[in-house]
Amino acid sequence: MPTAAKLVAGVIFAVLAFFAAQAYAAQLPATSSPAWMREIAAVTGAVLGWSTLGAKGRHQNFGKAAGAGLRTSLFIVIWALLFLAIYLMLKRSISGKYHGLVEALLSVFDIFYAQGRLLVQPDVLLILLAGGVLGGLATEWAARRFT
């Protein structure tokens, strides 16, 4: 059932994921920036904001809401990196870089780790941390205000 908290969480975390992906893509060389990365991150943020943070409803206080927002940011990072790793693996497998299915599947974890290391930049982390806290607080406010 749609609620105001789910809507606010979905919208805020979609925007948060888009801008975090934008800051992440700005550090990559122009030739290695994956297509659709920002859009995939935004959809991931909307779905996870709606389903993980918005579905919880009201928390006991704003501190727990901020923590739930940070947890949602972490989930977005994990899922977006996994989708990016799978996308890059498929792109490489079409080019014939792998000799078998197992090698291609194992490369997903290598790509996940390599892309995750690139994610640890101050601007990206600031967007994710501050946005997660503010998103959790805004979702809690919407849950209290419109419920």
Side-chain angles (χ1 to χ4, degrees), residues 47-87:
V47 169
L48 289 174
W50 180 283
S51 64
T52 61
L53 184 63
K56 298 288 186 211
R58 290 182 63 180
H59 299 83
Q60 286 81 13
N61 57 35
F62 283 103
K64 288 186 180 181
L70 286 174
R71 183 179 62 241
T72 304
S73 286
L74 176 66
F75 288 163
I76 290 169
V77 167
I78 291 170
W79 281 103
L81 279 176
L82 181 63
F83 292 145
L84 177 63
I86 291 170
Y87 169 78

Side-chain angles (χ1 to χ4, degrees), residues 120-133:
V120 184
Q121 299 294 326
D123 54 345
V124 178
L125 292 177
L126 180 66
I127 291 170
L128 290 169
L129 294 175
V133 169

